[in-house]
Amino acid sequence: MKILAIGKNYALHNKEMGDTLYKQEEPVVFLKPDSSLLKDGKPFFLPDHLGRVDYEGELVVRICRLGKHIPERFAHRYYDAVTVGVDFTARDWQRRLMDQQLPWAMSKGFDGAAVIGSWVGVETLPPVGQLHFSLARNGQVVQRGDASDMLFSVDRLIAYVSRFFTLKTGDLLYTGTPAGVGPVAVNDHIEGWIEERKVLDFNVK
């Protein structure tokens, strides 16, 4: 099982991180190890050696069949469910590594850094490209996402990443975070919704 993740896929998030509003030519793709996966509402234990850790709420897609070099027009056949996830980011580490032009896998791939909620079959939802999702911290909504605002759509992402990685059943694709990211602290309560359906609920310890 692979965890593929996309960076810089919402213009307003790019702006809040000090980047340009313009769309880059190709998606930004990175990997998280399977040991970073956190599911079933288990608590996220905040690492005390990583400094600031930010939540990044995202729409996550579950791959349902084997595929490589998938044409974009057929990409919808390769995922069967979606959820809300959190791409936790050790922000201090990420900035330090990026400043040194070093790989920043440690800032994104530490244990528990890939949270997923409960899956919802795509057949029960509006088209994936029109989905709305949100993330709340301690009862206050901090992020609202609209899949139509993605710089690269889900189907475009599937087509793109399958040029480099063979997609397999059970692989996960984190599709990027909208604006509103911020730090978490011990005792925070994190919740997430797709449309009006609550799919994510866990605590920070």
Side-chain angles (χ1 to χ4, degrees), residues 23-64:
K23 179 179 178 180
Q24 60 273 13
E25 292 184 5
E26 296 179 326
V28 175
V29 182
F30 58 96
L31 298 171
K32 288 174 173 272
D34 57 6
S35 56
S36 69
L37 189 63
L38 185 66
K39 57 184 180 178
D40 301 327
K42 294 178 180 177
F44 170 68
F45 289 93
L46 189 63
D48 58 9
H49 62 291
L50 291 180
R52 171 173 166 165
V53 175
D54 285 2
Y55 60 80
E56 296 187 9
E58 310 196 5
L59 191 68
V60 184
V61 174
R62 184 177 70 190
I63 302 301
C64 64

Side-chain angles (χ1 to χ4, degrees), residues 82-100:
V82 295
T83 191
V84 171
V86 176
D87 167 22
F88 276 123
T89 303
R91 193 68 69 196
D92 295 337
W93 272 80
Q94 185 187 43
R95 287 172 176 155
R96 179 170 55 177
L97 292 166
M98 291 177 72
D99 286 345
Q100 299 176 50

Side-chain angles (χ1 to χ4, degrees), residues 15 32-33 39 41 68 70 144 153 155 173 179 181 202 204:
K15 183 179 180 181
K32 288 174 173 272
K39 57 184 180 178
K68 186 170 179 63
I70 301 165
R144 296 185 187 276
S153 70
D155 288 357
L173 176 64
V181 304
F202 68 97
V204 180

Side-chain angles (χ1 to χ4, degrees), residues 113-128:
V115 186
I116 55 168
S118 55
W119 294 106
V120 182
V122 294
E123 72 281 357
T124 69
L125 292 166
V128 169

